[in-house]
Amino acid sequence: MDNMIEMKNVSMSFGALEVLKDISLSIKRASKTVIIGPSGSGKSTLLRCINLFERPQKGKIIIDNEEITHLRHRDLCRIRQSIGMVFQAFNLYAHKTVLENLCMAPVLLKKEKYKDVKERALMHLDQVGLSDKIDSYPSKLSGGQQQRVAIARALNMEPKILLFDEPTSALDPEMISEVLNIMTKVAQEDITMIFVTHEMGFASNIADRVLFLNEGIIAEDGTPDEVFNNPKNERTKQFFSKILKHT
Amino acid sequence: MKMVFTYENMIFLLRGLEITLIIAFSTIALSFIFGSILGIARFSGKGILAKLSAIYIDTVRNIPLLLFIIGFRFTLPLPPVASAIASMTVFTSAMVAEIVRGGLHSVSHGQWEAAYSQGFSYVGTMIHIILPQAVKKILKPLMSQFVTAIKDTSFCAIIAVHELMYSGMIVMGKFVTSTQAIILYALIAIIYFTLNTALLKLSNKIKF
C-alpha cells in the first residue's frame, strides 16, 4: 500500500451540526493535495482530523498503515511528531527565539543531539530565507516572516506529513506572495502535503490533486485542471464563478 | 508629655515588624506553592481535582480575611503566629490561584495547538510552552497580591499577635494626647509604605 493517509467513513459533528459526512479518502505518499471549498464546508475540520486535533465520532484514520483513531494520548503524541502543521495564525512560541522555536521539539521529544538539530535548523532557515533572524523573537518579525519560520519549524521535525491550515489567510497581500514562494519551494520536498487554501494560482501550480469540499462532502476530486476547468458539480461552478469574478 | 521616639518604643515596634515579616513572607511562600497548585488544577478543567479547587477558591474569595483570622485562632490548637500564618495562607492561596489561572488563560490557544502538533503532551506543553509565558504575565498582579498580604498582616492584631500594628497599639496605651497617637500611626504607616514600595520596586527589576 502506498497510501500515507487513509480516511475510512469519517463522520464528525459539532453538536447538531454535521461537519464531515462519511468521508473516505486515500492520500498517496509524497503527493501534494489542495483542499478548497466555501467557508463552513469542513475543510479545516478534515485537515485537523488527520492529526486528531478533531476526533471524528465515526470512522477510521490510518497514518502510514497505523490506525490512530483509538490511540492513547502518549502514542498519539508520538504519531504527531511525524505530522507537521502550519497554522493560519503562525503560532510560534512567543517566549523563544527563532532558532529555539525550531530546535525545541526535536531535542526534547525526539531526543536528538542539539548540535545536529541546530545544523538542520540553520539549513531550513536558509531555505526560507531567514538566516539573519535566528536570534529574533517572533514579536519582532512580520507576519510573512513568522509564517516562514513556522514552515521551517515544521520541516525541522522531519515530518512524513505536512498540513497547511490556511497559511496565508492572516497575511497582508504583500506578504502572501513571499510565503507562497516558500511553500512552492517546500512542495518540491518528498513529504506528503495537504494544503487548505484559497490561493487558486498556487494550487494549480503545485497540486497533484484538488479536492473541493462542500457541506461536509467531497464534491470534486481530480487534477487541478479537471477541477478548475471542468468542474462536474453545480456548487463547484458557482464557487469558482464567485471567487474568480474579481480577479 | 512622654516622647514617642524613645529607644524602647522603637525596639518594641521593630520586634513587631519582625513578626509582621515572618507572617507575611511565610504566607507569601506557602500561598505561592498552594495557589499555583490550585490555579493549575482549576485551569486543567477536568476531574474531581478541578472541581474541588473551584469550590475552594470561590468559597474562600467570598469570605472576609478577618473571619478566617479569628475563626482559625478560636478553633485550631495553634500558637498565635502559626494560626495567623495558616489563616492568611488559606485566604491568599485562593487569590494567587485566580491570578495563576488568569495567567494561564491569557496564553493563546494557538500556543497549545502548536505544541500538540509537534507531539508535546499536556504536561510537556504546560512546562515548556505555557507556564514560562504565563509567569511573565502574572508577575505584576502576583507582586501586588503579595503587597496586599503584607498589609493584611495588620488584621492579625485582632487575635493579639504581636506584629507591627498590635505593637503600635500597645505603645499607644502609654500615651495620652492625640498628637502622640497621630505621630505613632504615621510612623507605622511609613514603615508599611516603605516596605511595600521597596518590594514593588524590586519586582519591577525582575526581567525575563
Side-chain angles (χ1 to χ4, degrees), chain A residues 184-224:
Chain A
T184 308
K185 209 157 116 189
V186 167
Q188 310 307 314
E189 304 242 351
D190 234 6
I191 303 170
T192 310
M193 298 189 196
I194 304 181
F195 304 84
V196 168
T197 181
H198 297 294
E199 300 294 334
M200 301 301 155
F202 168 78
S204 50
N205 277 339
I206 63 99
D208 311 315
R209 182 178 180 190
V210 174
L211 303 175
F212 179 84
L213 221 64
N214 184 43
E215 291 176 357
I217 291 168
I218 298 174
E220 210 87 42
D221 181 356
T223 64

Side-chain angles (χ1 to χ4, degrees), chain A residues 131-191:
Chain A
S131 298
D132 54 332
K133 299 287 184 194
I134 54 170
D135 293 322
S136 303
Y137 281 90
S139 57
K140 302 283 178 228
L141 302 177
S142 72
Q145 289 171 332
Q146 288 189 50
Q147 196 59 300
R148 282 148 67 192
V149 173
I151 293 169
R153 175 175 70 179
L155 286 172
N156 211 36
M157 284 293 279
E158 302 190 301
K160 291 188 270 192
I161 299 169
L162 254 184
L163 309 173
F164 292 79
D165 191 3
E166 304 205 24
T168 57
S169 299
L171 293 171
D172 288 343
E174 276 183 292
M175 290 168 184
I176 291 179
S177 73
E178 75 177 54
V179 171
L180 288 180
N181 287 341
I182 295 299
M183 282 163 55
T184 308
K185 209 157 116 189
V186 167
Q188 310 307 314
E189 304 242 351
D190 234 6
I191 303 170

Side-chain angles (χ1 to χ4, degrees), chain A residues 25-38:
Chain A
L25 177 66
S26 300
I27 305 267
K28 285 205 169 57
R29 199 176 291 274
S31 67
K32 314 289 177 264
T33 307
V34 168
I35 305 176
I36 56 173

Side-chain angles (χ1 to χ4, degrees), chain A residues 48 51 53 73 77 80-81 83 85 87 91-96 104-105 108-109 153 157, chain B residues 108-123 128-130 132-133 136:
Chain A
R48 290 165 61 88
N51 62 358
F53 269 12
H73 183 61
C77 289
R80 280 179 179 158
Q81 289 177 18
I83 308 177
M85 192 169 209
F87 302 89
N91 297 345
L92 293 178
Y93 304 133
H95 62 308
K96 296 284 176 186
M104 229 176 142
L108 288 171
L109 302 176
R153 175 175 70 179
M157 284 293 279
Chain B
S108 84
H109 188 61
Q111 298 285 310
W112 285 96
E113 289 209 330
Y116 282 158
S117 80
Q118 290 202 292
F120 280 100
S121 63
Y122 181 83
V123 175
H128 296 291
I129 315 293
I130 307 302
Q133 295 186 54
K136 277 188 198 178

